[in-house]
């Protein structure tokens, strides 16, 4: 029998990544940050001199990604690109290459390989709808766009990057529209997902809620 999966899907900056990490830690499970794979693909495209207009090039680079996830680093060809792929430029290109079916297809098997005992917490946009449709617990994590922009702003500032709140808000809106509006694997709650709104809840509360849902399920 396949290892259990908890999927956490939702828009950019809803807190999915942190919450997935914390839930995985509490359960002693593996974690998949699927957005990182799209970001790594975008970085590979940029480094290959691409501008995000060539689907075949992006799919080829996605298939060949040489990546290793470590607790505190994401290695691409041995180089730690963990911080680099968080930049807005890479995130914006990621959401464009992610709209291409050939790129999504190229990353599918790689994502499913993360499903190992004792279990997996997978975060992204289509974890519950496309990649792990048989997951026993699916969470759709939403939050108000203004709240998400504030959080992203604080994150960037804390890391010493410059940031502008209005620009971030516009970027988030554009990225949400692209992720929700695309033809292939759009951002949408799976029919059997539980929607959790994190606008007015801290991380600890959301983590507890997810763990409670898992115990209730098991
Ligand atoms: O979650 P994160 O912001 O790191 O994802 C970067 C981009 O990758 C998203 O804007 C989205 O377009 C894409 N993505 C996706 N499917 C996933 C995860 C991320 O299309 N499962």
């Amino acid at each position: 029998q396949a290892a259990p999966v908890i999927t956490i899907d939702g828009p950019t900056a809803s807190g999915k990544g942190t919450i997935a990490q914390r839930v995985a830690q509490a359960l002693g499970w593996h974690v998949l940050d699927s957005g990182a794979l799209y970001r790594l693909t975008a970085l590979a495209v940029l480094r290959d001199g691409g501008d995000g207009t060539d689907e075949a090039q992006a799919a080829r680079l996605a298939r060949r990604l040489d990546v290793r996830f470590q607790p505190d680093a994401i290695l691409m060809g041995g180089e730690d690109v963990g911080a680099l792929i968080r930049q807005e430029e890479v995130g914006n290109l990621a959401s464009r290459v992610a709209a291409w079916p050939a790129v999504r297809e190229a990353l599918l098997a790689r994502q499913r390989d993360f499903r190992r005992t004792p279990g997996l917490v997978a975060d992204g946009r289509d974890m519950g709808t496309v990649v792990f449709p048989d997951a026993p617990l699916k969470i759709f994590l939403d939050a108000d766009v203004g709240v998400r922009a504030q959080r992203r702003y604080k994150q960037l500032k804390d890391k010493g990057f410059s940031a502008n709140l209005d620009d971030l808000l516009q970027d988030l809106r554009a990225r949400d529209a692209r992720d929700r509006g695309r033809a292939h694997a759009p951002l949408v709650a799976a029919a059997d997902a539980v929607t959790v709104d994190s606008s007015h809840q801290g991380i600890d509360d959301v983590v507890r809620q997810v763990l409670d849902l898992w115990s209730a399920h098991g």
Side-chain angles (χ1 to χ4, degrees), residues 5-6 40 42-43 48 57-58 82 103 126 160 166 168-169 177 191 195-196 207 210 217:
V5 186
I6 297 176
L40 288 161
L43 181 63
D48 199 45
Q57 175 204 36
V103 170
D126 62 340
D166 286 337
L168 282 172
L169 196 58
T195 296
V196 174
V207 169
V210 175
H217 168 276

Side-chain angles (χ1 to χ4, degrees), residues 12 16 33-36 38-39 86 91 94-95 98 104 111 124-127 175 179 182:
T12 302
K16 301 181 304 288
D33 170 4
S34 63
Y38 290 94
R39 289 171 181 270
R86 296 295 147 207
S95 94
R104 308 200 69 84
Q111 295 175 80
R125 305 292 186 289
D126 62 340
M127 297 298 98
R175 213 182 294 177
D179 289 349
R182 71 187 173 208

